Amino acid sequence: MYHTLVIGGGCLGAATAVSIQRKLNELGKGEKVALVDKAVLCAAESSRHSGIVRSANADPDASQMASISSKMWKDLKPHWGIDMEVDEFGAIWIAKKNSDGTNPAWTDLSERMKKINLVFEEIGSKSALNKCGSTLITDEDESYFYEPDAFQLDPSILRSVLYDALEENGVELFEKTEVETIVSKGNEILSCLTNNGNFKAKNFVNATGAWSSQLFSKIGLKIPVTIEPVSVVNWMESPKQIKYEYPIIADYINLCYFRSWRGNKMHAHQPRKRSVYEIAKSFINDLTAVNGGEYLNEPMNQSLAYNQIKNYEDISKKRFSNIDKTVYASGYRSFFDITPDLRFILGKDSKINNLFHNLGSGQAMKYSPVLGEAVAEEIVGEENLTKKFDYKKFNINRFGDDYMKDFWNLVNGEENTLHRQGKNAL
Ligand SMILES: Cc1cc2nc3c(=O)[nH]c(=O)nc-3n(C[C@H](O)[C@H](O)[C@H](O)COP(=O)(O)OP(=O)(O)OC[C@H]3O[C@@H](n4cnc5c(N)ncnc54)[C@H](O)[C@@H]3O)c2cc1C
């Protein structure tokens, strides 16, 4: 009997397993954590991300968590038992100015970030050009904010570090082990049946990301997670034009994130869509694509179509003057796992007493050490990190039936429907 079975070996599942096992090791009772993945470690979203770690965020809890997480990444040994290399290149955020030449939303954000000792400061276009070089296209209608402590990490290095951390701390890892059936009685899960045997545990962690809703619907739980497809493109670059040590560009005008990649590549992907309507579209599409995360593993979905590459090329040309003279190196399709409010689902389930969730909602790699530690604290009954931010607000209990009803009403955009227009006409 394990102390905890973590289902899903992405960065969140692995981080949770490591944090719980370290706490159990300190207690010295010899209790063990098992981590199962139906494929291999980081088989899904966790190997297809951009490795960007930025902390400034409109949500105060998210920025607090991200800034704690950034510190943990940079000094990982006390938390995971091993260190990891990161590239500290900073990030430049770009947005359109208002007609009066100001950007009050980001100026406010900058002020709020100061209160948690996070530098997010406005810089001029000249300073942006100094940091990036002359291939960056700037415009006087744009504002530039600099976050010097932002950094990037290489997804393949992260993957190796996770394997090492699991081993270092004594987590039992079972790859190619798929949870097929969840055996429950009343409000408790008893065990998980896999192709590799029956796993009994006292606690269970759901870290299956995009697969969560399908897997847990088997025991009658509704976990509101779906996928939003996204493409990624890498261009071959010349080190003479874009050096490896290039700041991350978070371009909110052209809706694209850019970062330099090892081997002098420029990497681009679009952010999650943030309107309720777009989020709802992803939930509706899921009804016809019930395979959820399998979408990513389907070879047919891995390669990019010409128009997707072209679309990114068009976007990139608006930001970099040299993109038309560069070479397409590689690209792939991936997805964000998203929730209706684009926030994490963390902690104890509202129906099953020994089930805990750790889901990222599309942008969670950077939070892995914090989310792993927070969920571990709840499971072993500690409260250190979880006192530093509003952990409870991320609980699944916020998505009750009423929430989902309101969500769909919002999405219906009643004022735009014939139904409502007809009613108004009357
Ligand atoms: C293009 C792109 C760029 C991104 N860039 C960034 C970034 O710069 N910074 C950032 O912080 N985040 C980024 N993200 C988001 C980040 O990648 C994810 O939030 C994170 O990887 C989610 O990790 P996870 O462990 O929750 O999920 P996953 O990595 O998807 O892990 C879920 C795991 O569960 C396993 N599983 C599923 N069902 C079962 C089952 N029945 N039994 C056993 N195992 C099962 C799967 O095999 C999978 O390995 C990006 C995402 C994308 C798509």
Side-chain angles (χ1 to χ4, degrees), residues 15 26 87 93 107 115 130-131 143 153 193 200 210 225 267 277 288 299 313 339 356 374-375 426:
E26 274 169 25
D87 292 336
W93 299 46
T107 310
K115 291 186 188 137
N130 278 342
K131 289 179 175 39
S143 54
L153 47 87
L193 302 180
K200 291 186 181 161
V225 175
H267 167 99
Y277 179 70
T288 52
E313 196 175 283
T339 57
F356 300 81
V375 174
L426 292 173

Side-chain angles (χ1 to χ4, degrees), residues 10-12 37-38 46 49-50 52 179 334-335 362 364-366:
C11 51
L12 296 188
D37 197 283
K38 67 198 218 113
S46 296
H49 57 78
S50 302
I52 297 173
V179 171
S334 183
F335 60 75
M365 178 282 298
K366 67 183 181 188

Side-chain angles (χ1 to χ4, degrees), residues 180-193:
E180 288 159 352
T181 305
I182 299 169
V183 183
S184 61
K185 193 172 173 198
N187 296 334
E188 297 266 310
I189 295 180
L190 303 177
S191 70
C192 287
L193 302 180

Side-chain angles (χ1 to χ4, degrees), residues 167-218:
E167 187 158 333
E168 171 75 20
N169 294 288
V171 174
E172 289 186 25
L173 171 65
F174 298 84
E175 295 177 299
K176 314 238 164 145
T177 301
E178 176 166 3
V179 171
E180 288 159 352
T181 305
I182 299 169
V183 183
S184 61
K185 193 172 173 198
N187 296 334
E188 297 266 310
I189 295 180
L190 303 177
S191 70
C192 287
L193 302 180
T194 74
N195 54 312
N196 209 2
N198 187 15
F199 286 76
K200 291 186 181 161
K202 289 197 263 182
N203 305 292
F204 295 82
V205 174
N206 165 34
T208 59
W211 284 266
S212 302
S213 65
Q214 285 89 344
L215 181 60
F216 287 90
S217 66
K218 293 179 181 176

Side-chain angles (χ1 to χ4, degrees), residues 217-245:
S217 66
K218 293 179 181 176
I219 53 166
L221 298 184
K222 285 188 205 158
I223 304 181
V225 175
T226 190
I227 60 169
E228 181 190 318
V230 59
S231 311
V232 172
V233 167
N234 297 311
W235 279 282
M236 205 109 75
E237 269 299 342
S238 161
K240 295 195 171 145
Q241 285 187 303
I242 291 184
K243 298 204 185 310
Y244 176 52
E245 302 83 6

